[in-house]
Amino acid sequence: MARTGRRRGGADTRGDILSAARAAFAENGYQATTIRAVAAAAGVDPALVHHYFGDKESLFAAVVELPFPPSSVAERIMDGGIEAAGENAVRLFLSVWETPASRDAIEAMLRGAFTTEHGADTLREFFETVLVSQVAPHIPHPDADLRTTLVASHLVGVAMLRYIIGFEALRRATPDDLVNLIAPRIQAYLTGEPSG
Amino acid sequence: MARTGRRRGGADTRGDILSAARAAFAENGYQATTIRAVAAAAGVDPALVHHYFGDKESLFAAVVELPFPPSSVAERIMDGGIEAAGENAVRLFLSVWETPASRDAIEAMLRGAFTTEHGADTLREFFETVLVSQVAPHIPHPDADLRTTLVASHLVGVAMLRYIIGFEALRRATPDDLVNLIAPRIQAYLTGEPSG
């Protein structure tokens, strides 16, 4: 958050640029954010942003890194077995949104997906490459891809209404309230019958 | 869709303006849409848009009218009793999104909620005034407001990933596929146990 006015490349310059980019994408979305504005917010020359991150797309890709390796998502969700995966998925998702830095990053990704074709491609590719391919093989149903996507749709909707639009009942609920109500529905997608 | 080049107020002028506004809000979101651009797309003078609809907020309010009176939502969802409400809610929601005109309108409302504070207020007020107050009294749980909002979060997430961002598995699914999988989870929010 501190604006140091630093102009030279230093130990924290890369981190400062990332923080400024994270805030800019979260506040203004993908399309309206410029390398120039990120550089100004970080107190560096735009050339330094290009030096560390390349173009805006690459800067965005660096910003949306999760607080854990995306490749570990399935392992984290499945580490108590498939029968605990519903609760683990909800807790993991909420933990990302309840942590300010990662919330900004994932909100930026969601805004980008909503407002630009590139952003939509980014989110779709991230989701299909990282999440569906990791999680779906654990789901004992032929429509595992659809079920995984329905899980994502519910969690994305919760994030939108709780953290972005701010619906009252969702804003007031604690993470535990949400886990108690949502996890059984997520679990039903993973292991439940179509009709149950 | 037809651009008639009409300049005078005529029988369809109001409808032409509404169609142009619906398309503009859906394509560009609330903030980037101007009365001037809507007037140009409809082939009328901006003064005529102001004459029929007042300011941009009022034009937006006219555009987001659902294909049925919002006050009839609970009646439509509950007309088979609370035990059929999950399926009715999913079918009603999908019917709005599967109909191009109302899909554009509701997509515009969602984009507005996502990109502007005014749009977020509009959606929140619509949801809390119209939906929660109509639906929650039918839900036999003390946390009926939260449950109603969780239903909304799931349906909004489905709309985002199926119709706006276009996740492959959701795009390919038929409305009946979706009803079969989603309705039991919506029903569980309405009448199910927290743990079941």
Side-chain angles (χ1 to χ4, degrees), chain A:
Chain A
M1 289 296 185
R3 300 284 157 74
T4 61
R6 172 190 303 112
R7 294 274 154 196
R8 294 155 289 102
D12 290 338
T13 302
R14 191 179 180 283
D16 290 347
I17 294 169
L18 261 189
S19 300
R22 187 176 288 122
F25 284 126
E27 196 169 320
N28 307 317
Y30 181 80
Q31 205 159 30
T33 296
T34 61
I35 293 276
R36 184 182 302 271
V38 168
V44 303
D45 192 272
L48 211 51
V49 180
H50 287 292
H51 169 71
Y52 280 112
F53 296 99
D55 60 8
K56 187 169 87 170
E57 291 183 26
S58 305
L59 177 62
F60 185 76
V63 161
V64 299
E65 276 177 34
L66 293 171
F68 43 81
S71 56
S72 75
V73 166
E75 189 179 84
R76 284 160 184 267
I77 292 175
M78 296 296 170
D79 75 354
I82 186 74
E83 291 304 329
E87 177 167 343
N88 280 342
V90 179
R91 288 199 186 280
L92 185 66
F93 185 79
L94 291 176
S95 76
V96 171
W97 282 89
E98 296 287 331
T99 305
S102 52
R103 171 178 165 176
D104 286 352
I106 198 170
E107 181 174 333
M109 180 156 62
L110 202 53
R111 283 187 187 279
F114 205 59
T115 53
T116 73
E117 192 55 43
H118 168 76
D121 291 344
T122 303
L123 184 64
R124 259 200 311 269
E125 282 160 21
F126 173 77
F127 177 76
E128 281 162 9
T129 309
V130 176
L131 296 184
V132 174
S133 68
Q134 282 185 60
V135 175
H138 296 272
I139 300 179
H141 288 284
D143 53 356
D145 284 11
L146 179 55
R147 286 167 177 264
T148 307
T149 310
L150 284 167
V151 168
S153 76
H154 194 354
L155 296 178
V156 163
V158 167
M160 275 195 65
L161 299 197
R162 174 174 167 89
Y163 300 103
I164 298 179
I165 303 185
F167 277 29
E168 181 64 14
L170 266 174
R171 272 190 20 235
R172 277 200 324 251
T174 66
D176 281 342
D177 292 338
L178 297 177
V179 169
N180 287 340
L181 277 165
I182 300 170
R185 273 86 246 184
I186 301 302
Q187 189 64 45
Y189 279 129
L190 300 176
T191 55
E193 291 306 307
S195 60

Side-chain angles (χ1 to χ4, degrees), chain B:
Chain B
M1 289 297 184
R3 299 287 156 73
T4 62
R6 173 189 302 110
R7 292 274 154 196
R8 296 154 289 105
D12 290 340
T13 303
R14 190 178 182 283
D16 289 349
I17 295 169
L18 262 189
S19 299
R22 186 176 290 122
F25 284 127
E27 196 168 319
N28 307 315
Y30 182 80
Q31 205 160 28
T33 297
T34 62
I35 292 277
R36 183 180 304 270
V38 169
V44 303
D45 193 272
L48 211 53
V49 180
H50 288 294
H51 169 71
Y52 280 113
F53 296 100
D55 61 7
K56 186 169 89 171
E57 290 183 26
S58 307
L59 177 62
F60 185 75
V63 161
V64 297
E65 277 176 33
L66 293 171
F68 44 80
S71 56
S72 75
V73 167
E75 190 178 85
R76 285 161 184 267
I77 293 176
M78 295 297 169
D79 75 354
I82 185 75
E83 292 302 331
E87 177 168 342
N88 280 341
V90 179
R91 288 200 186 279
L92 184 66
F93 185 80
L94 291 177
S95 75
V96 171
W97 282 89
E98 295 287 331
T99 306
S102 54
R103 171 178 166 176
D104 285 353
I106 199 170
E107 180 173 333
M109 180 156 65
L110 202 54
R111 283 187 187 278
F114 206 60
T115 53
T116 74
E117 192 54 43
H118 167 76
D121 291 345
T122 303
L123 183 64
R124 260 200 310 270
E125 283 160 22
F126 173 77
F127 177 76
E128 280 161 10
T129 308
V130 175
L131 296 183
V132 174
S133 67
Q134 282 185 60
V135 175
H138 296 273
I139 300 178
H141 287 285
D143 53 356
D145 284 12
L146 178 55
R147 285 167 177 264
T148 308
T149 310
L150 284 167
V151 168
S153 76
H154 193 355
L155 296 179
V156 163
V158 168
M160 276 195 63
L161 300 197
R162 174 174 168 88
Y163 299 104
I164 299 179
I165 303 184
F167 277 31
E168 181 61 15
L170 266 174
R171 271 188 23 232
R172 276 202 322 253
T174 66
D176 280 342
D177 291 339
L178 296 176
V179 169
N180 286 342
L181 276 165
I182 301 171
R185 274 85 244 183
I186 301 302
Q187 189 64 43
Y189 278 129
L190 300 177
T191 56
E193 292 304 309
S195 59

